[in-house]
Amino acid sequence: MSHPLSWIDEELAALKEAGLYTYIRTIESPQGAWLTVDGKRVLNFCSNNYLGLANHPRLVEAARKAMEQYGVGPGAVRTIAGTMTLHVELERRLAEFKGVEAAITFQSGFAANLATIPAIVGREDVIFSDQLNHASIIDGCRLSRATIVAYPHNDVDALEDLIKEHGSKYRRKLIVTDGVFSMDGDIAPLPRLAELAKRYGCILMVDDAHGEGVLGRGGRGIVDHFDLHGVVDIEVGTMSKAFGVMGGVVAGSRRLVEWLRQRGRPFLFSSAMTVPDVAACLAAIDLLEESTELVDRLWDNARYFKAKMQELGFDTGQSETPITPIMLGEAPLAQEFSRRLFEEGVFAMAIGYPTVPKGAARIRVMPSAAHTREDLDFAIRAFEKVGRELGVLVA
Ligand SMILES: *Cc1c(COP(=O)(O)O)cnc(C)c1O
């Protein structure tokens, strides 16, 4: 008899055959504009380290100092003995930064979604969820056991029809959306979603993982970007992207945060953020509050790169943010493109199904504030060379 797990070999072989197998590269240097990967120095176009904070001296120093004072680990879940002065301080600062009454932190953005959605809705409720929402939202929805109605991506009219059709049959109604969609870089139509939420009595939740530190005044996020303070009920964020560290946050009313402290399962059953993470996040907020320089540089770089790529004839999709997809179509072409870019000294990942729909494979470029103009020009030349070689650019 074959081993009960032998089916995995066949599944893995099928993934490789389809160009959908993820080869994971190992980084031998700190995060930054340039990385050492597999012994080679390459320009980094993959990470979510939008502002270059992952290796920022102020964050490193804050983490070091905090470890000297508090050690490394939290020792327990928050409710038992894991809440330290630092955690309380971070939540206070995050609430202030986001312009909300209160905030609660989690180990990650993923955990924040898994904590929040099942605490807010259950079996008797319905969730209206954008078709392209992040996996952690989808999993949070599933865990809640609520009825899930997926609506066509960013289609507010279709959503309204679905709310009219299904809404009245349930106790509570939740509309949940990514703020910035991570694979396309487009932005949720939050003002119109807020109108719908108000009209039909829905709870409105936005996951601003890619908007935190990117959108809004000084990187205060999508709610600030649209000036919807007090209108969006639940704002999820992550400190693992622009903040350059690790950790999740939910920002909103005092009552929401109080409820999540009682009922958020990853809060109750998984240990707190670590000391260096919390201290580094506090330093990230300091930096963001002191100056908009990094956020401004991120946007300058993104605009420059996108314009140059479009001039060359690349299809950059629907992006409205620094996330720049280079649309290529089939997954094997995207993988080959990424492999050739790497040889040319540019590290940019191919993304295919199931992360994006079949036939919509792409290279996703993440420009950052850490890149210089010379870095971007270097990358643009590499994209042009490989694009011509592989027939993506004609003429
Ligand atoms: C990256 C991401 C997450 C997960 O954040 P982590 O802090 O890395 O767990 C959640 N939601 C969205 C929309 C994301 O893009």
Side-chain angles (χ1 to χ4, degrees), residues 108-110 113 134 136 178 182 207 209-210 238 240-241 246-247:
S108 69
F110 204 110
N113 278 323
H134 188 263
S136 56
D178 273 25
S182 55
D207 177 348
H210 283 278
T238 172
S240 61
K241 290 180 173 133
M246 184 72 206

PDB file of all heavy atoms in Angstrom, residues 108-110 113 134 136 178 182 207 209-210 238 240-241 246-247, ligand 1:
ATOM      1  N   SER A 108      -0.706  39.385  13.979  1.00  0.00           N
ATOM      2  CA  SER A 108      -0.546  39.659  12.553  1.00  0.00           C
ATOM      3  C   SER A 108      -1.856  40.198  12.003  1.00  0.00           C
ATOM      4  O   SER A 108      -2.904  40.122  12.671  1.00  0.00           O
ATOM      5  CB  SER A 108      -0.182  38.372  11.801  1.00  0.00           C
ATOM      6  OG  SER A 108      -1.294  37.485  11.791  1.00  0.00           O
ATOM      7  N   GLY A 109      -1.807  40.697  10.786  1.00  0.00           N
ATOM      8  CA  GLY A 109      -3.035  41.121  10.121  1.00  0.00           C
ATOM      9  C   GLY A 109      -3.946  39.926   9.881  1.00  0.00           C
ATOM     10  O   GLY A 109      -5.173  40.031   9.994  1.00  0.00           O
ATOM     11  N   PHE A 110      -3.358  38.816   9.541  1.00  0.00           N
ATOM     12  CA  PHE A 110      -4.123  37.585   9.319  1.00  0.00           C
ATOM     13  C   PHE A 110      -4.909  37.244  10.587  1.00  0.00           C
ATOM     14  O   PHE A 110      -6.118  36.984  10.547  1.00  0.00           O
ATOM     15  CB  PHE A 110      -3.161  36.446   8.961  1.00  0.00           C
ATOM     16  CG  PHE A 110      -3.800  35.333   8.173  1.00  0.00           C
ATOM     17  CD1 PHE A 110      -3.479  35.131   6.840  1.00  0.00           C
ATOM     18  CD2 PHE A 110      -4.713  34.469   8.774  1.00  0.00           C
ATOM     19  CE1 PHE A 110      -4.070  34.095   6.109  1.00  0.00           C
ATOM     20  CE2 PHE A 110      -5.305  33.441   8.052  1.00  0.00           C
ATOM     21  CZ  PHE A 110      -4.983  33.249   6.719  1.00  0.00           C
ATOM     22  N   ASN A 113      -7.936  39.554  11.254  1.00  0.00           N
ATOM     23  CA  ASN A 113      -9.169  39.196  10.530  1.00  0.00           C
ATOM     24  C   ASN A 113      -9.825  37.956  11.118  1.00  0.00           C
ATOM     25  O   ASN A 113     -11.044  37.899  11.257  1.00  0.00           O
ATOM     26  CB  ASN A 113      -8.875  38.990   9.038  1.00  0.00           C
ATOM     27  CG  ASN A 113      -8.830  40.307   8.294  1.00  0.00           C
ATOM     28  OD1 ASN A 113      -9.606  41.210   8.586  1.00  0.00           O
ATOM     29  ND2 ASN A 113      -7.917  40.414   7.345  1.00  0.00           N
ATOM     30  N   HIS A 134      -8.757  39.486   0.472  1.00  0.00           N
ATOM     31  CA  HIS A 134      -7.588  38.715   0.912  1.00  0.00           C
ATOM     32  C   HIS A 134      -7.994  37.402   1.590  1.00  0.00           C
ATOM     33  O   HIS A 134      -9.058  37.317   2.214  1.00  0.00           O
ATOM     34  CB  HIS A 134      -6.801  39.578   1.905  1.00  0.00           C
ATOM     35  CG  HIS A 134      -5.477  39.013   2.311  1.00  0.00           C
ATOM     36  ND1 HIS A 134      -5.300  38.305   3.470  1.00  0.00           N
ATOM     37  CD2 HIS A 134      -4.273  39.053   1.695  1.00  0.00           C
ATOM     38  CE1 HIS A 134      -4.028  37.944   3.562  1.00  0.00           C
ATOM     39  NE2 HIS A 134      -3.382  38.386   2.499  1.00  0.00           N
ATOM     40  N   SER A 136      -7.137  36.048   4.263  1.00  0.00           N
ATOM     41  CA  SER A 136      -7.423  36.086   5.705  1.00  0.00           C
ATOM     42  C   SER A 136      -8.848  36.566   5.980  1.00  0.00           C
ATOM     43  O   SER A 136      -9.459  36.181   6.978  1.00  0.00           O
ATOM     44  CB  SER A 136      -6.409  36.972   6.433  1.00  0.00           C
ATOM     45  OG  SER A 136      -6.388  38.270   5.897  1.00  0.00           O
ATOM     46  N   ASP A 178     -11.211  44.594   1.212  1.00  0.00           N
ATOM     47  CA  ASP A 178      -9.835  45.093   1.258  1.00  0.00           C
ATOM     48  C   ASP A 178      -9.901  46.602   1.002  1.00  0.00           C
ATOM     49  O   ASP A 178     -10.771  47.046   0.243  1.00  0.00           O
ATOM     50  CB  ASP A 178      -9.001  44.492   0.115  1.00  0.00           C
ATOM     51  CG  ASP A 178      -8.372  43.152   0.437  1.00  0.00           C
ATOM     52  OD1 ASP A 178      -8.900  42.433   1.295  1.00  0.00           O
ATOM     53  OD2 ASP A 178      -7.358  42.826  -0.203  1.00  0.00           O
ATOM     54  N   SER A 182      -4.402  43.821  -3.018  1.00  0.00           N
ATOM     55  CA  SER A 182      -2.958  43.619  -2.997  1.00  0.00           C
ATOM     56  C   SER A 182      -2.381  43.145  -4.325  1.00  0.00           C
ATOM     57  O   SER A 182      -1.205  43.322  -4.576  1.00  0.00           O
ATOM     58  CB  SER A 182      -2.592  42.629  -1.897  1.00  0.00           C
ATOM     59  OG  SER A 182      -3.317  41.430  -2.053  1.00  0.00           O
ATOM     60  N   ASP A 207     -10.184  46.219   5.419  1.00  0.00           N
ATOM     61  CA  ASP A 207      -8.847  45.716   5.746  1.00  0.00           C
ATOM     62  C   ASP A 207      -7.839  46.564   4.985  1.00  0.00           C
ATOM     63  O   ASP A 207      -7.709  46.448   3.774  1.00  0.00           O
ATOM     64  CB  ASP A 207      -8.739  44.244   5.350  1.00  0.00           C
ATOM     65  CG  ASP A 207      -7.339  43.680   5.608  1.00  0.00           C
ATOM     66  OD1 ASP A 207      -6.415  44.474   5.880  1.00  0.00           O
ATOM     67  OD2 ASP A 207      -7.180  42.462   5.523  1.00  0.00           O
ATOM     68  N   ALA A 209      -4.547  46.736   4.997  1.00  0.00           N
ATOM     69  CA  ALA A 209      -3.162  46.251   5.094  1.00  0.00           C
ATOM     70  C   ALA A 209      -2.210  47.003   4.155  1.00  0.00           C
ATOM     71  O   ALA A 209      -1.101  47.371   4.555  1.00  0.00           O
ATOM     72  CB  ALA A 209      -3.113  44.754   4.805  1.00  0.00           C
ATOM     73  N   HIS A 210      -2.645  47.229   2.915  1.00  0.00           N
ATOM     74  CA  HIS A 210      -1.768  47.897   1.950  1.00  0.00           C
ATOM     75  C   HIS A 210      -1.993  49.409   1.897  1.00  0.00           C
ATOM     76  O   HIS A 210      -1.401  50.088   1.053  1.00  0.00           O
ATOM     77  CB  HIS A 210      -1.945  47.298   0.555  1.00  0.00           C
ATOM     78  CG  HIS A 210      -1.267  45.980   0.387  1.00  0.00           C
ATOM     79  ND1 HIS A 210       0.077  45.867   0.095  1.00  0.00           N
ATOM     80  CD2 HIS A 210      -1.732  44.712   0.501  1.00  0.00           C
ATOM     81  CE1 HIS A 210       0.402  44.591   0.017  1.00  0.00           C
ATOM     82  NE2 HIS A 210      -0.675  43.865   0.259  1.00  0.00           N
ATOM     83  N   THR A 238      -2.269  46.197   9.287  1.00  0.00           N
ATOM     84  CA  THR A 238      -1.131  45.342   9.622  1.00  0.00           C
ATOM     85  C   THR A 238       0.100  46.202   9.807  1.00  0.00           C
ATOM     86  O   THR A 238       0.226  47.262   9.187  1.00  0.00           O
ATOM     87  CB  THR A 238      -0.867  44.288   8.543  1.00  0.00           C
ATOM     88  OG1 THR A 238       0.355  43.635   8.846  1.00  0.00           O
ATOM     89  CG2 THR A 238      -0.754  44.898   7.173  1.00  0.00           C
ATOM     90  N   SER A 240       3.016  44.708   9.331  1.00  0.00           N
ATOM     91  CA  SER A 240       4.034  43.902   8.645  1.00  0.00           C
ATOM     92  C   SER A 240       4.330  44.415   7.247  1.00  0.00           C
ATOM     93  O   SER A 240       5.171  43.875   6.550  1.00  0.00           O
ATOM     94  CB  SER A 240       3.581  42.442   8.575  1.00  0.00           C
ATOM     95  OG  SER A 240       2.382  42.344   7.840  1.00  0.00           O
ATOM     96  N   LYS A 241       3.655  45.478   6.837  1.00  0.00           N
ATOM     97  CA  LYS A 241       3.923  46.024   5.497  1.00  0.00           C
ATOM     98  C   LYS A 241       4.653  47.358   5.641  1.00  0.00           C
ATOM     99  O   LYS A 241       5.833  47.362   5.928  1.00  0.00           O
ATOM    100  CB  LYS A 241       2.629  46.074   4.714  1.00  0.00           C
ATOM    101  CG  LYS A 241       2.214  44.638   4.379  1.00  0.00           C
ATOM    102  CD  LYS A 241       0.958  44.471   3.604  1.00  0.00           C
ATOM    103  CE  LYS A 241       0.827  43.002   3.227  1.00  0.00           C
ATOM    104  NZ  LYS A 241      -0.491  42.452   3.488  1.00  0.00           N
ATOM    105  N   MET A 246       5.884  43.577  12.202  1.00  0.00           N
ATOM    106  CA  MET A 246       4.980  42.437  12.215  1.00  0.00           C
ATOM    107  C   MET A 246       3.915  42.750  13.246  1.00  0.00           C
ATOM    108  O   MET A 246       4.223  43.314  14.303  1.00  0.00           O
ATOM    109  CB  MET A 246       5.754  41.177  12.633  1.00  0.00           C
ATOM    110  CG  MET A 246       4.965  39.892  12.600  1.00  0.00           C
ATOM    111  SD  MET A 246       4.650  39.381  10.898  1.00  0.00           S
ATOM    112  CE  MET A 246       3.153  38.432  11.119  1.00  0.00           C
ATOM    113  N   GLY A 247       2.702  42.400  12.955  1.00  0.00           N
ATOM    114  CA  GLY A 247       1.631  42.644  13.917  1.00  0.00           C
ATOM    115  C   GLY A 247       0.383  43.120  13.207  1.00  0.00           C
ATOM    116  O   GLY A 247       0.452  43.654  12.097  1.00  0.00           O
TER     117      GLY A 247
HETATM  118  C1  LIG B   1      -0.876  41.095   3.892  1.00  0.00           C
HETATM  119  C2  LIG B   1      -2.299  41.166   4.218  1.00  0.00           C
HETATM  120  C3  LIG B   1      -2.796  40.606   5.393  1.00  0.00           C
HETATM  121  C4  LIG B   1      -1.915  39.823   6.334  1.00  0.00           C
HETATM  122  O1  LIG B   1      -1.119  40.660   7.091  1.00  0.00           O
HETATM  123  P1  LIG B   1       0.019  40.007   8.020  1.00  0.00           P
HETATM  124  O2  LIG B   1       0.256  41.035   9.043  1.00  0.00           O
HETATM  125  O3  LIG B   1       1.186  39.737   7.149  1.00  0.00           O
HETATM  126  O4  LIG B   1      -0.569  38.760   8.574  1.00  0.00           O
HETATM  127  C5  LIG B   1      -4.131  40.750   5.683  1.00  0.00           C
HETATM  128  N1  LIG B   1      -4.959  41.382   4.835  1.00  0.00           N
HETATM  129  C6  LIG B   1      -4.527  41.926   3.685  1.00  0.00           C
HETATM  130  C7  LIG B   1      -5.478  42.640   2.795  1.00  0.00           C
HETATM  131  C8  LIG B   1      -3.179  41.826   3.337  1.00  0.00           C
HETATM  132  O5  LIG B   1      -2.749  42.344   2.193  1.00  0.00           O
END
